[in-house]
Amino acid sequence: MNIKAVVRYIGMALLFNALFMFLSVLVSVLNDFDSAFSPLLLSAVITAMVGGFPLIFVRKSENLNMAEGFLVTALAWVLCCVFDMLPYVLWGGVFSLSNAWYESVSGLTTTGGTILADVESLPKSLIFWRSSTHFIGGIGVVVFVLLVLPTVSSFGLKISKMQISSLSMDNYRYKSRDTVKVIMLTYFGITLLSFVFLLLAGMNAFDAVNHAMSIVSTGGFSTKNLSIMHYDSFPIELVCNVFMFISALHFGLIYAFFVDRSTKLFRSPVTIYYTGYVIVASLFVALSLKFGEDPVPWGKALRDSFFQVISLSSTTGFATADTSRWPLFAILILVFTTLQGACSGSTAGGIKTDRILIFFKAIKAQIVKQLHPQAVVRVKSGNSIIDESTVSSVALFIVLYLLIVFVIGLMLSLTGLDFVDSMSASMAAMSNCGPGFGNCNSLANYDFFTPFGKFLLGVEMLLGRLEIYGFLVLLILRKR
């Protein structure tokens, strides 16, 4: 095991976190040295020193095998979560160790759940730091590392396959170095455009930049206690809808559309399925709201349903309504929406629509096989034939994913939570979505969870962000 090289690459990841801490310090300076100035400055210095130390004393090396590549990825996420706790812990207030852990992991994994009852009481620099953790996590700590590598060869490819689902790699018709450039240009482009349109829709500059970082990362941290509901503005909701939807699509296909004028984005079976699901699910939820026990006008029903379905399907988690009060039929649709998530190759969490689509097609193929035992039936996605090993891995992933949601939910119930709170919190954490139902609904927070519960949810958020295997590799490597 090339431990020195592993430490060097992790150090690079920490330096990127330190960079955004220094930017947060600048925000504090611009706001008359608010109360988070010293905590942020000290955190930035500590993180920069720890991250920079290996770059000074460890010789550069790129000869990493696959196991070491997995180790870099998993440890980078875990250690960045730990160091990103520092500004919260040093600032104090409501941020106990367990609260700081939850907020840090939730930010970096782009989950968006919070322990804060009053976000608006935080100094602006700390609010900016919160949003920055979304921005860092959305693009992927290790993808940041790839940018500073002098030559990105086999190591870069290994890391890219971990950060981007293998089901979506075929859509990146680029070398590994170009893949990183594609992600970066698309990511920053969506951020800039969403910032500009939020300004035009009526947000102030500070709120716009924070929400833009949350949108592109499909995170969900807001500068307001009531999230997007605070603004009660249809133009702002429309901008959020458009850019949350775009951020939920495959970045490689988005890049190809704008740069190469490729129409593959619109011909992709995954894009077609995801778009169709959002429309159909939104209409069903709207019907449920319109004809439920407490009916609402058609305009409000459609406005709220489309926003919440797009928000949860993209695993952003912004809110314009308390969905826990919606009819059971609408809630069940939202539960599946949260578990499914959006497209591979995006910043969204969840099982991913790619896997769900392949799973449905595998079921269809199996039914045909039962009707025609002698026929050779293949699972196809568009013009591509999905091999049996991919179908098996998809089925195994979905089963393992749901098993983890159930087991963590079961463990949370031991802390005194009821069924709805424990299972919906587990589902929201695993899907990196943020809001659940019950007492941890879209307008509530997770402060009432025990320290053990917050720690457990943090681990589950990491499992979801690294798509299970990237995190479990730590346990496997320890046994070697």
Side-chain angles (χ1 to χ4, degrees):
M1 182 69 71
N2 190 352
I3 297 297
K4 290 184 178 180
V6 169
V7 170
R8 180 181 174 85
Y9 291 125
I10 293 174
M12 293 179 184
L14 290 175
L15 284 178
F16 275 107
N17 283 263
L19 172 63
F20 280 89
M21 289 179 186
F22 281 117
L23 289 176
S24 301
V25 171
L26 179 60
V27 173
S28 178
V29 172
L30 295 175
N31 286 276
D32 299 322
F33 294 89
D34 61 30
S35 59
F37 173 77
S38 295
L40 283 167
L41 181 60
L42 183 58
S43 300
V45 171
I46 293 173
T47 306
M49 288 178 62
V50 174
F53 186 83
L55 299 183
I56 299 173
F57 296 100
V58 177
R59 184 175 300 176
K60 180 170 58 178
S61 172
E62 295 176 27
N63 298 319
L64 297 181
N65 58 36
M66 181 61 77
E68 291 161 351
F70 270 82
L71 187 61
V72 168
T73 302
L75 281 179
W77 278 99
V78 173
L79 289 177
C80 285
C81 286
V82 172
F83 278 88
D84 286 0
M85 291 171 56
L86 288 175
Y88 301 126
V89 173
L90 294 175
W91 187 76
V94 297
F95 290 112
S96 60
L97 282 176
S98 60
N99 283 352
W101 162 257
Y102 182 90
E103 203 76 8
S104 173
V105 179
S106 181
L108 204 59
T109 58
T110 72
T111 301
T114 183
I115 55 85
L116 295 170
D118 187 7
V119 176
E120 297 170 44
S121 66
L122 296 180
K124 283 190 174 182
S125 57
L126 201 60
I127 292 176
F128 181 82
W129 167 243
R130 260 177 104 236
S131 302
S132 296
T133 60
H134 269 348
F135 194 76
I136 298 167
I139 202 166
V141 174
V142 181
V143 173
F144 272 125
V145 172
L146 290 176
L147 291 175
V148 295
L149 296 179
T151 57
V152 183
S153 54
S154 59
F155 171 72
L157 182 60
K158 295 168 188 175
I159 298 299
S160 295
K161 287 182 177 179
M162 292 189 61
Q163 293 299 106
I164 307 162
S165 171
S166 58
L167 297 176
S168 65
M169 285 302 294
D170 289 340
N171 291 315
Y172 282 110
R173 303 300 184 186
Y174 315 98
K175 296 179 180 179
S176 181
R177 185 185 310 175
D178 293 332
T179 297
V180 178
K181 184 176 74 172
V182 166
I183 295 173
M184 289 294 293
L185 289 176
T186 307
Y187 195 80
F188 281 98
I190 294 173
T191 305
L192 178 60
L193 286 174
S194 57
F195 169 72
V196 170
F197 278 94
L198 285 172
L199 281 177
L200 295 175
M203 268 193 190
N204 63 56
F206 180 77
D207 286 358
V209 71
N210 280 273
H211 285 93
M213 288 193 287
S214 288
I215 288 172
V216 70
S217 63
T218 60
F221 279 162
S222 175
T223 59
K224 304 300 181 183
N225 296 330
L226 295 179
S227 189
I228 302 300
M229 180 190 283
H230 168 90
Y231 300 96
D232 191 22
S233 167
F234 179 71
I236 288 176
E237 291 174 26
L238 182 61
V239 171
C240 289
N241 272 337
V242 170
F243 285 99
M244 284 190 298
F245 182 83
I246 292 174
S247 298
L249 301 178
H250 194 291
F251 277 21
L253 297 180
I254 295 172
Y255 178 88
F257 171 72
F258 285 102
V259 175
D260 301 329
R261 300 295 186 266
S262 170
T263 60
K264 191 173 182 180
L265 174 65
F266 306 103
R267 293 184 286 108
S268 167
V270 177
T271 303
I272 294 170
Y273 167 77
Y274 178 67
T275 304
Y277 176 83
V278 166
I279 294 172
V280 172
S282 299
L283 291 176
F284 273 116
V285 170
L287 286 170
S288 177
L289 295 177
K290 174 61 180 176
F291 298 107
E293 294 182 2
D294 188 17
V296 298
W298 272 116
K300 181 171 175 55
L302 289 169
R303 177 176 168 179
D304 287 348
S305 64
F306 269 92
F307 188 93
Q308 293 304 144
V309 169
I310 293 175
S311 178
L312 294 183
S313 67
S314 65
T315 68
T316 304
F318 282 153
T320 56
D322 182 358
T323 55
S324 65
R325 298 179 180 274
W326 284 7
L328 180 59
F329 178 77
I331 290 176
L332 291 176
I333 292 177
L334 294 181
V335 166
F336 179 79
T337 300
T338 301
L339 287 171
Q340 175 181 258
C343 307
S344 293
S346 70
T347 57
I351 294 172
K352 298 293 195 310
T353 53
D354 307 58
R355 294 189 176 98
I356 296 295
L357 182 60
I358 289 175
F359 183 71
F360 286 154
K361 288 182 177 293
I363 292 175
K364 178 183 177 182
Q366 187 61 33
I367 292 174
V368 174
K369 183 69 175 177
Q370 292 295 321
L371 294 174
H372 306 282
Q374 303 303 319
V376 177
V377 183
R378 299 187 182 278
V379 179
K380 295 184 66 177
S381 178
N383 296 322
S384 302
I385 296 176
I386 309 300
D387 59 82
E388 292 185 5
S389 63
T390 299
V391 174
S392 298
S393 67
V394 165
L396 180 61
F397 182 90
I398 292 174
V399 171
L400 183 57
Y401 189 98
L402 296 177
L403 179 62
I404 292 173
V405 170
F406 175 77
V407 170
I408 299 293
L410 190 65
M411 296 175 69
L412 288 172
S413 69
L414 296 176
T415 66
L417 298 175
D418 61 25
F419 175 80
V420 173
D421 288 345
S422 58
M423 293 307 298
S424 67
S426 177
M427 174 190 67
M430 189 65 183
S431 299
N432 299 138
C433 184
F437 300 95
N439 292 316
C440 49
N441 62 72
S442 52
L443 297 177
N445 59 75
Y446 288 81
D447 189 44
F448 66 95
F449 280 66
T450 64
F452 173 72
K454 292 167 186 172
F455 171 77
L456 204 58
L457 288 174
V459 173
E460 189 177 19
M461 285 186 273
L462 283 167
L463 277 169
R465 179 59 183 173
L466 293 174
E467 300 203 352
I468 302 175
Y469 299 111
F471 188 66
L472 293 181
V473 73
L474 286 176
L475 302 178
I476 298 173
L477 290 175
R478 281 189 61 188
K479 296 180 180 180
R480 289 190 171 186

